[in-house]
Protein backbone atom coordinates (compact mmCIF):
# COMPACT_ATOMS: atom_id res chain seq x y z
CA UNK A 1 0.00 0.00 0.00
CA UNK A 2 1.55 3.36 -0.96
CA UNK A 3 1.34 6.52 1.11
CA UNK A 4 -1.56 7.89 -0.92
CA UNK A 5 -3.75 4.82 -0.66
CA UNK A 6 -6.78 5.32 1.54
CA UNK A 7 -6.97 3.23 4.65
CA UNK A 8 -9.69 0.57 4.54
CA UNK A 9 -12.84 1.64 6.32
CA UNK A 10 -13.22 0.18 9.76
CA UNK A 11 -16.15 -2.22 10.00
CA UNK A 12 -19.19 -0.75 11.65
CA UNK A 13 -19.56 -2.05 15.18
CA UNK A 14 -22.81 -3.83 15.92
CA UNK A 15 -25.04 -1.88 18.31
CA UNK A 16 -25.45 -3.24 21.81
CA UNK A 17 -28.29 -5.74 22.03
CA UNK A 18 -29.50 -6.63 25.50
CA UNK A 19 -31.84 -9.35 26.76
CA UNK A 20 -34.43 -6.62 27.28
CA UNK A 21 -34.12 -5.68 23.60
CA UNK A 22 -34.62 -9.31 22.60
CA UNK A 23 -37.65 -9.66 24.85
CA UNK A 24 -39.12 -6.48 23.37
CA UNK A 25 -38.81 -7.50 19.72
CA UNK A 26 -39.78 -11.12 20.36
CA UNK A 27 -42.86 -9.99 22.28
CA UNK A 28 -43.94 -7.50 19.63
CA UNK A 29 -43.41 -9.98 16.80
CA UNK A 30 -45.44 -12.56 18.70
CA UNK A 31 -48.33 -10.13 19.21
CA UNK A 32 -48.27 -8.68 15.70
CA UNK A 33 -47.67 -11.84 13.63
CA UNK A 34 -47.89 -14.86 15.93
CA UNK A 35 -44.30 -15.76 15.07
CA UNK A 36 -42.32 -17.15 17.99
CA UNK A 37 -38.79 -15.72 17.97
CA UNK A 38 -36.46 -17.80 20.13
CA UNK A 39 -33.73 -16.16 22.20
CA UNK A 40 -31.21 -18.02 20.06
CA UNK A 41 -32.20 -15.73 17.15
CA UNK A 42 -30.67 -12.65 18.76
CA UNK A 43 -27.89 -12.45 16.17
CA UNK A 44 -30.46 -12.59 13.38
CA UNK A 45 -32.39 -9.68 14.90
CA UNK A 46 -29.23 -7.57 15.11
CA UNK A 47 -28.15 -8.47 11.57
CA UNK A 48 -31.49 -7.59 10.04
CA UNK A 49 -32.40 -4.49 12.04
CA UNK A 50 -29.01 -2.77 12.43
CA UNK A 51 -28.89 -1.45 8.82
CA UNK A 52 -32.38 0.02 9.23
CA UNK A 53 -31.34 1.64 12.51
CA UNK A 54 -28.36 3.26 10.81
CA UNK A 55 -30.67 4.64 8.10
CA UNK A 56 -32.73 6.30 10.82
CA UNK A 57 -29.76 7.57 12.82
CA UNK A 58 -30.32 5.24 15.79
CA UNK A 59 -27.01 4.32 17.39
CA UNK A 60 -28.44 1.79 19.83
CA UNK A 61 -31.47 -0.48 20.02
CA UNK A 62 -32.73 1.60 22.91
CA UNK A 63 -32.94 4.55 20.49
CA UNK A 64 -34.81 2.46 17.95
CA UNK A 65 -37.23 1.22 20.58
CA UNK A 66 -38.01 4.82 21.59
CA UNK A 67 -38.57 5.70 17.94
CA UNK A 68 -40.92 2.75 17.53
CA UNK A 69 -42.87 3.80 20.61
CA UNK A 70 -43.59 7.15 18.96
CA UNK A 71 -43.96 6.00 15.36
CA UNK A 72 -46.94 5.12 13.24
CA UNK A 73 -47.66 1.59 12.15
CA UNK A 74 -45.54 1.97 9.02
CA UNK A 75 -42.25 1.55 10.84
CA UNK A 76 -43.58 -1.50 12.64
CA UNK A 77 -44.50 -2.91 9.23
CA UNK A 78 -40.85 -2.42 8.27
CA UNK A 79 -39.70 -4.33 11.37
CA UNK A 80 -42.02 -7.21 10.55
CA UNK A 81 -40.77 -7.30 6.96
CA UNK A 82 -37.15 -7.43 8.13
CA UNK A 83 -37.69 -10.12 10.75
CA UNK A 84 -39.80 -12.50 8.67
CA UNK A 85 -38.42 -14.94 6.13
CA UNK A 86 -39.88 -15.07 2.62
CA UNK A 87 -38.54 -17.97 0.61
CA UNK A 88 -40.24 -19.98 -2.09
CA UNK A 89 -39.83 -21.30 -5.59
CA UNK A 90 -42.08 -22.39 -8.41
CA UNK A 91 -43.88 -25.73 -7.95
CA UNK A 92 -42.34 -26.28 -4.53
CA UNK A 93 -43.51 -29.61 -3.03
CA UNK A 94 -44.59 -30.84 -6.45
CA UNK A 95 -46.79 -33.57 -4.96
CA UNK A 96 -49.19 -30.84 -3.81
CA UNK A 97 -49.53 -29.56 -7.35
CA UNK A 98 -50.17 -33.08 -8.63
CA UNK A 99 -52.93 -33.34 -6.01
CA UNK A 100 -54.32 -29.98 -7.12
CA UNK A 101 -54.27 -31.14 -10.73
CA UNK A 102 -56.31 -34.24 -9.90
CA UNK A 103 -58.72 -32.16 -7.84
CA UNK A 104 -59.34 -29.66 -10.63
CA UNK A 105 -59.73 -32.38 -13.26
CA UNK A 106 -62.31 -34.14 -11.10
CA UNK A 107 -64.23 -30.90 -10.57
CA UNK A 108 -64.30 -30.12 -14.25
CA UNK A 109 -65.39 -33.66 -15.09
CA UNK A 110 -68.32 -33.17 -12.69
CA UNK A 111 -69.32 -29.96 -14.46
CA UNK A 112 -67.87 -27.50 -11.95
CA UNK A 113 -67.33 -24.02 -13.39
CA UNK A 114 -66.60 -21.95 -10.25
CA UNK A 115 -63.13 -22.40 -8.75
CA UNK A 116 -61.55 -20.54 -5.85
CA UNK A 117 -58.00 -21.06 -4.61
CA UNK A 118 -56.02 -19.39 -1.83
CA UNK A 119 -52.25 -19.16 -1.46
CA UNK A 120 -51.82 -18.05 2.17
CA UNK A 121 -48.38 -16.67 3.12
CA UNK A 122 -47.57 -16.46 -0.60
CA UNK A 123 -44.15 -14.76 -0.24
CA UNK A 124 -42.84 -13.47 -3.60
CA UNK A 125 -45.65 -15.04 -5.60
CA UNK A 126 -44.13 -18.24 -6.95
CA UNK A 127 -46.83 -20.37 -5.32
CA UNK A 128 -49.95 -18.61 -6.65
CA UNK A 129 -48.36 -18.14 -10.07
CA UNK A 130 -47.59 -21.88 -10.09
CA UNK A 131 -51.27 -22.51 -9.36
CA UNK A 132 -52.22 -20.23 -12.24
CA UNK A 133 -49.78 -21.92 -14.64
CA UNK A 134 -51.21 -25.31 -13.72
CA UNK A 135 -54.81 -24.18 -14.24
CA UNK A 136 -54.01 -22.70 -17.63
CA UNK A 137 -52.12 -25.84 -18.61
CA UNK A 138 -55.04 -28.06 -17.63
CA UNK A 139 -57.38 -25.89 -19.72
CA UNK A 140 -55.08 -25.67 -22.75
CA UNK A 141 -54.50 -21.99 -22.08
CA UNK A 142 -58.04 -21.27 -20.90
CA UNK A 143 -59.78 -21.31 -17.53
CA UNK A 144 -63.41 -21.14 -16.55
CA UNK A 145 -64.61 -17.52 -16.33
CA UNK A 146 -65.38 -17.89 -12.63
CA UNK A 147 -61.86 -18.89 -11.56
CA UNK A 148 -59.92 -16.82 -9.01
CA UNK A 149 -56.71 -17.20 -7.01
CA UNK A 150 -56.29 -15.18 -3.81
CA UNK A 151 -52.67 -14.66 -2.68
CA UNK A 152 -51.98 -13.12 0.73
CA UNK A 153 -49.01 -12.32 2.92
CA UNK A 154 -48.32 -10.16 5.97
CA UNK A 155 -45.27 -8.56 4.30
CA UNK A 156 -46.44 -5.70 2.09
CA UNK A 157 -43.07 -5.22 0.42
CA UNK A 158 -42.87 -8.84 -0.70
CA UNK A 159 -46.47 -8.59 -1.91
CA UNK A 160 -45.52 -5.62 -4.06
CA UNK A 161 -42.69 -7.66 -5.57
CA UNK A 162 -45.06 -10.57 -6.16
CA UNK A 163 -47.59 -8.35 -7.89
CA UNK A 164 -44.85 -6.97 -10.14
CA UNK A 165 -44.36 -10.53 -11.38
CA UNK A 166 -40.66 -10.27 -12.21
CA UNK A 167 -38.27 -13.14 -11.49
CA UNK A 168 -34.58 -13.81 -12.01
CA UNK A 169 -33.07 -16.47 -14.24
CA UNK A 170 -32.40 -18.73 -11.27
CA UNK A 171 -36.09 -18.58 -10.29
CA UNK A 172 -37.21 -19.93 -13.67
CA UNK A 173 -34.35 -22.32 -14.36
CA UNK A 174 -36.14 -25.44 -13.17
CA UNK A 175 -39.65 -24.68 -14.38
CA UNK A 176 -41.44 -27.68 -15.90
CA UNK A 177 -41.69 -27.47 -19.66
CA UNK A 178 -45.43 -26.72 -19.74
CA UNK A 179 -44.91 -23.67 -17.49
CA UNK A 180 -42.10 -21.94 -19.38
CA UNK A 181 -44.33 -20.12 -21.91
CA UNK A 182 -46.01 -18.29 -19.02
CA UNK A 183 -42.87 -16.26 -18.27
CA UNK A 184 -41.31 -14.01 -20.90
CA UNK A 185 -37.88 -12.42 -20.82
CA UNK A 186 -38.01 -8.73 -19.95
CA UNK A 187 -35.67 -5.99 -21.14
CA UNK A 188 -33.61 -6.11 -17.94
CA UNK A 189 -32.90 -9.84 -18.25
CA UNK A 190 -35.51 -10.87 -15.72
CA UNK A 191 -38.63 -12.84 -16.59
CA UNK A 192 -42.14 -11.40 -16.38
CA UNK A 193 -45.33 -13.36 -15.90
CA UNK A 194 -47.68 -13.11 -18.86
CA UNK A 195 -50.98 -11.20 -18.55
CA UNK A 196 -52.99 -14.43 -18.39
CA UNK A 197 -51.33 -15.21 -15.05
CA UNK A 198 -51.84 -11.70 -13.68
CA UNK A 199 -55.52 -11.88 -14.56
CA UNK A 200 -56.01 -14.94 -12.36
CA UNK A 201 -54.23 -13.81 -9.19
CA UNK A 202 -55.25 -11.11 -6.71
CA UNK A 203 -52.66 -10.12 -4.09
CA UNK A 204 -53.87 -8.81 -0.73
CA UNK A 205 -52.17 -8.12 2.63
CA UNK A 206 -53.42 -10.39 5.39
CA UNK A 207 -52.33 -11.42 8.88
CA UNK A 208 -53.28 -15.05 9.51
CA UNK A 209 -53.41 -14.54 13.28
CA UNK A 210 -55.39 -11.31 13.01
CA UNK A 211 -59.05 -11.11 13.95
CA UNK A 212 -60.11 -9.85 10.52
CA UNK A 213 -60.46 -12.52 7.84
CA UNK A 214 -62.39 -10.73 5.07
CA UNK A 215 -62.32 -13.69 2.67
CA UNK A 216 -65.58 -15.62 2.72
CA UNK A 217 -64.85 -18.70 0.62
CA UNK A 218 -65.64 -21.40 0.08
CA UNK A 219 -62.28 -22.34 -1.42
CA UNK A 220 -61.64 -25.44 -3.47
CA UNK A 221 -58.01 -25.53 -2.35
CA UNK A 222 -55.92 -23.66 0.22
CA UNK A 223 -52.13 -23.82 0.34
CA UNK A 224 -50.70 -22.60 3.66
CA UNK A 225 -47.22 -24.04 3.66
CA UNK A 226 -44.13 -23.55 5.82
CA UNK A 227 -45.66 -20.76 7.87
CA UNK A 228 -47.35 -22.56 10.76
CA UNK A 229 -44.00 -23.83 12.03
CA UNK A 230 -43.19 -20.27 13.16
CA UNK A 231 -46.31 -20.03 15.34
CA UNK A 232 -47.06 -21.20 18.86
CA UNK A 233 -49.12 -24.44 18.96
CA UNK A 234 -52.28 -22.61 20.05
CA UNK A 235 -52.03 -20.20 17.13
CA UNK A 236 -51.31 -23.06 14.73
CA UNK A 237 -54.52 -24.76 15.83
CA UNK A 238 -56.58 -21.57 15.42
CA UNK A 239 -55.27 -20.90 11.93
CA UNK A 240 -55.87 -24.47 10.74
CA UNK A 241 -59.41 -24.41 12.15
CA UNK A 242 -60.21 -21.18 10.31
CA UNK A 243 -58.70 -22.49 7.09
CA UNK A 244 -60.74 -25.68 7.36
CA UNK A 245 -63.88 -23.63 7.87
CA UNK A 246 -63.31 -21.81 4.58
CA UNK A 247 -62.97 -24.96 2.47
CA UNK A 248 -65.81 -26.32 0.41
CA UNK A 249 -66.79 -29.91 1.13
CA UNK A 250 -64.26 -31.95 -0.82
CA UNK A 251 -61.82 -29.03 -0.88
CA UNK A 252 -58.16 -29.66 -0.13
CA UNK A 253 -55.77 -28.10 2.39
CA UNK A 254 -52.01 -28.38 1.85
CA UNK A 255 -49.60 -27.56 4.67
CA UNK A 256 -45.82 -27.57 4.85
CA UNK A 257 -44.00 -30.90 4.98
CA UNK A 258 -43.45 -30.68 8.76
CA UNK A 259 -46.86 -29.20 9.61
CA UNK A 260 -49.85 -31.19 10.84
CA UNK A 261 -53.53 -30.51 11.48
CA UNK A 262 -53.59 -31.98 14.99
CA UNK A 263 -57.21 -31.32 16.01
CA UNK A 264 -59.13 -34.51 15.29
CA UNK A 265 -62.45 -32.70 15.78
CA UNK A 266 -61.94 -30.64 12.61
CA UNK A 267 -63.86 -31.66 9.46
CA UNK A 268 -60.63 -32.77 7.80
CA UNK A 269 -59.50 -36.19 6.64
CA UNK A 270 -55.84 -36.83 6.02
CA UNK A 271 -54.84 -37.78 2.49
CA UNK A 272 -52.03 -40.07 1.39
CA UNK A 273 -50.25 -37.09 -0.15
CA UNK A 274 -47.92 -35.70 2.56
CA UNK A 275 -49.28 -32.83 4.69
CA UNK A 276 -52.57 -32.78 2.74
CA UNK A 277 -56.18 -32.91 3.93
CA UNK A 278 -59.68 -32.94 2.44
CA UNK A 279 -62.73 -31.22 3.91
CA UNK A 280 -65.39 -33.79 4.79
Amino acid sequence: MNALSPLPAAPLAAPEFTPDDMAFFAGELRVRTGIVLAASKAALVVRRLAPRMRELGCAQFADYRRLLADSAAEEWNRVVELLTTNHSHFFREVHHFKLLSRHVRAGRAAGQTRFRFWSAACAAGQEPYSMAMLLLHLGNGQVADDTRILATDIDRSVLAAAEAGLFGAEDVRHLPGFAKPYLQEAADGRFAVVPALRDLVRFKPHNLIGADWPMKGPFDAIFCRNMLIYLAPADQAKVVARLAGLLSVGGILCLGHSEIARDNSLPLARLEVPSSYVRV
Side-chain angles (χ1 to χ4, degrees):
M1 178 182 297
N2 62 45
L4 298 179
S5 298
L7 293 173
L12 292 171
E16 181 184 6
F17 190 69
T18 68
D20 284 347
D21 293 327
M22 184 65 198
F24 172 80
F25 285 104
E28 289 292 336
L29 197 67
R30 171 73 173 80
V31 169
R32 293 170 186 273
T33 70
I35 293 174
V36 177
L37 194 64
S40 61
K41 299 295 185 181
L44 178 145
V45 175
V46 174
R47 185 171 66 251
R48 294 191 177 182
L49 294 186
R52 177 59 176 166
M53 289 168 49
R54 286 194 288 270
E55 288 178 12
L56 298 173
C58 298
Q60 298 297 334
F61 277 94
D63 302 324
Y64 193 36
R65 286 172 57 181
R66 282 191 290 271
L67 183 150
L68 286 166
D70 296 332
S71 70
E74 190 59 37
E75 186 59 28
W76 272 115
N77 290 341
R78 185 73 173 127
V79 172
V80 170
E81 291 166 6
L82 290 169
L83 292 183
T84 51
T85 300
N86 296 290
H87 171 73
S88 188
H89 54 79
F90 290 104
F91 295 96
R92 185 179 187 181
E93 312 288 356
V94 69
H95 48 267
H96 287 157
F97 288 95
K98 290 180 178 178
L99 173 65
L100 182 62
S101 176
R102 294 194 295 270
H103 186 65
V104 171
R105 289 179 188 275
R108 286 178 172 169
Q112 182 177 348
T113 57
R114 178 195 182 277
F115 291 92
R116 294 291 185 273
F117 307 93
W118 180 13
S119 170
C122 69
Q126 291 94 330
E127 181 175 275
Y129 285 133
S130 294
M131 288 179 167
M133 291 175 192
L134 179 63
L135 294 176
L136 286 164
H137 171 65
L138 293 175
N140 295 317
Q142 302 291 325
V143 294
D145 289 341
D146 201 8
T147 300
R148 303 286 186 273
I149 299 170
L150 172 65
T152 65
D153 202 279
I154 194 172
D155 187 334
R156 292 173 183 266
S157 65
V158 80
L159 273 179
E163 195 160 18
L166 291 168
F167 299 93
E170 189 59 33
D171 290 311
V172 305
R173 189 181 308 280
H174 300 295
L175 275 178
F178 74 82
K180 290 182 178 179
Y182 296 112
L183 286 126
Q184 298 177 340
E185 190 167 3
D188 62 0
R190 291 184 293 174
F191 291 81
V193 298
V194 299
L197 292 188
R198 293 180 185 277
D199 291 345
L200 281 176
V201 185
R202 294 292 180 270
F203 292 96
K204 300 289 183 182
H206 182 246
N207 185 350
L208 283 167
I209 69 154
D212 183 23
W213 281 43
M215 60 288 295
K216 303 302 180 187
F219 290 97
D220 300 282
I222 300 174
F223 281 26
C224 183
R225 305 186 301 169
N226 305 302
M227 184 272 177
L228 297 178
I229 54 174
Y230 298 105
L231 305 183
D235 287 327
Q236 292 180 16
K238 290 177 184 177
V239 170
V240 171
R242 296 185 80 171
L243 294 174
L246 287 172
L247 281 171
S248 59
V249 174
I252 57 175
L253 171 64
C254 295
L255 305 178
H257 65 88
S258 61
E259 299 168 335
I260 300 173
R262 301 180 186 278
D263 187 349
N264 293 328
S265 68
L266 294 176
L268 295 173
R270 197 164 186 171
L271 297 171
E272 290 184 2
V273 177
S275 304
S276 301
Y277 301 84
V278 62
R279 170 74 187 265
V280 294

